[in-house]
Amino acid sequence: RIDTWTLVNEYDNVPDGDPDDPYTDFFKHKIGPEYVDISFETARKTDPAATLLYNQNNNETAGGMFAKSTQQIVERLKAKGLIDGVGLQMHLDGSNPPEKQDLIATMRSYKLPRSISQNWISIYAMCPAHKQNAGHIRRRSTKRCWRPLWKWA
């Protein structure tokens, strides 16, 4: 038995739903936006004890491109008793990591347990001197972002 499912991943990555864009969500394009609710309803009926997650990138800070849509989806599904947690992909810029308080406030705003499904820290925008210390910067950025998460997961 699988006890935790990520039912929908990156639903909003292509807002206009261009069918030729490789990032377009296939089910969103074929069924429509209601497929998110259909997926969660079906999973909850199939296995009421399963933990059901919605996963998205760029939703870990208030200014993230998908924070608002994630919040809307979470609130809608939560009102129906269909969601148990939120997945965060944490694609971060190592040269400009998010502020600790912004991370904490945004993640708490979901009012559900969070799961870090990925943790990418880009070093491409860093100056050459910083790139030589990429390992240190990755550790520092990761520590800055992860430490507060475990306290209220």
Side-chain angles (χ1 to χ4, degrees):
R1 175 179 180 274
I2 299 172
D3 62 359
T4 303
W5 292 91
T6 298
L7 291 175
V8 178
N9 182 58
E10 297 183 354
Y11 165 79
D12 257 346
N13 276 13
V14 181
D16 65 359
D18 177 0
D20 295 324
D21 190 307
Y23 293 103
T24 293
D25 186 305
F26 175 82
F27 296 107
K28 180 180 177 182
H29 176 69
K30 295 294 183 186
I31 298 171
E34 62 274 10
Y35 101 83
V36 173
D37 295 65
I38 292 168
S39 298
F40 278 86
E41 289 164 0
T42 303
R44 183 64 80 210
K45 286 177 189 170
T46 302
D47 186 355
T51 299
L52 308 179
L53 304 175
Y54 172 76
N55 192 52
Q56 182 64 55
N57 64 335
N58 211 343
N59 64 348
E60 65 276 346
T61 61
M65 184 182 300
F66 302 117
K68 184 176 179 180
S69 61
T70 298
Q71 190 68 258
Q72 292 168 344
I73 289 169
V74 166
E75 287 174 7
R76 185 178 72 242
L77 295 172
K78 192 174 174 191
K80 297 178 180 183
L82 298 175
I83 189 170
D84 302 306
V86 179
L88 305 133
Q89 292 185 12
M90 303 289 286
H91 299 178
L92 306 176
D93 178 355
S95 65
N96 185 25
E99 293 296 321
K100 177 179 173 181
Q101 292 307 317
D102 190 12
L103 283 168
I104 292 170
T106 303
M107 291 185 192
R108 282 184 177 164
S109 75
Y110 295 125
K111 299 178 183 162
L112 287 171
R114 280 84 43 198
S115 171
I116 297 176
S117 57
Q118 298 175 22
N119 185 22
W120 298 355
I121 301 174
S122 172
I123 61 169
Y124 295 112
M126 296 178 174
C127 69
H130 287 146
K131 284 184 181 181
Q132 291 176 352
N133 297 314
H136 170 73
I137 292 168
R138 284 179 187 268
R139 284 188 300 279
R140 188 182 75 211
S141 297
T142 301
K143 183 177 177 181
R144 182 176 184 179
C145 296
W146 282 49
R147 180 176 285 175
L149 297 179
W150 304 118
K151 293 180 182 176
W152 33 264

